[in-house]
Amino acid sequence: MTAPLVFTNDYMFQWPGHVFPTGKYRRLAQRLREAGLASGFYAPSPATDEQLTACHDEAYLARLERMASGVEKWDPSFEVPVSRQVVDVFRLAAGGTILASKLALEHGLAANLCGGFHHAFPARGEGFCLLNDVPVAAHAMRDHDRIDRAAVVDLDVHQGNGTAVMAQRDPWLYTFSMHQENNYPAKRRSDFDVGLPDGTGDEEYLDRLTDALTVVGRDADPDLVYYLAGADPYAGDRLGGLALSMDGLHERDRIVFDWAEMRGAAVVALLAGGYALDDEDVVTIHFAMVEELLGRLEVA
């Protein structure tokens, strides 16, 4: 049986010289193959216009398409280059998170080896993110009566500001973000935010996470959890200021998966950010998360 992992070689775009390691998706998939953990993957289809407009403004999507096709000149306020390839990858990533949501509801756990683009707003991109796949996928599940309630557990080093804004109109979509407080972006109100001081290490981080998840479980009571397992709380991250070790990040993953299992909630895991000096450290952190997820499926 194919493991409930979503990936395509088309998760690839070029931002030459950019801090975002765009090659991490392929390298993670290759490492999973080499380790014998995945012989194949579920291939996504791009999110449709109908799925995207559940969360994004039509005018914004039309503008992205005009820039992708070259009809409109790229606007530097978008922060990252916008091309046909880039827009297609973000549409694919959103479709991948939709597919991973279906797989998680079937298997209990699933991962999209991409996604977690939590800085995109309804009518604009921000912070390397053009389309916000998590609210799009949650709406796709809710609109087809697959779930009643969903929760976002966002453990990227940066607050999921775009997701927080998108979910404010949806009482069934609960947002929790635990992040470095003194860092990008300008904060927006999630249902529950935990802002951590600079230099927070394993022990304090894991204690705060355990306490926070108790609150999330009580207040959200989700059928489906979107877990943004960012690699950027790592001590060696260029855009982060927390101090987690690789072992600490692995324990973070275990805590989230244990909590969801105890509550009977399915989990969609997403990669989100990661900007270590060595890109392979980012891949190693993501690999450990996916390996933990797959090990739990084998036990089940």
Side-chain angles (χ1 to χ4, degrees), residues 146-167:
R146 294 176 182 267
I147 61 170
D148 290 321
R149 296 181 58 81
V152 179
V153 174
D154 190 336
L155 301 186
D156 193 272
V157 79
H158 307 106
Q159 192 218 28
N161 57 337
T163 306
V165 168
M166 283 191 174

Side-chain angles (χ1 to χ4, degrees), residues 30-38 287 291:
Q30 182 61 31
R31 193 179 293 190
L32 290 165
R33 290 189 189 99
E34 291 171 352
L37 294 175
F287 176 88
E291 184 179 36

Side-chain angles (χ1 to χ4, degrees), residues 270-288:
L270 303 157
L271 303 190
Y275 314 93
L277 282 170
D278 186 346
D279 290 351
E280 289 307 310
D281 286 343
V282 177
V283 176
T284 295
I285 293 165
H286 292 321
F287 176 88

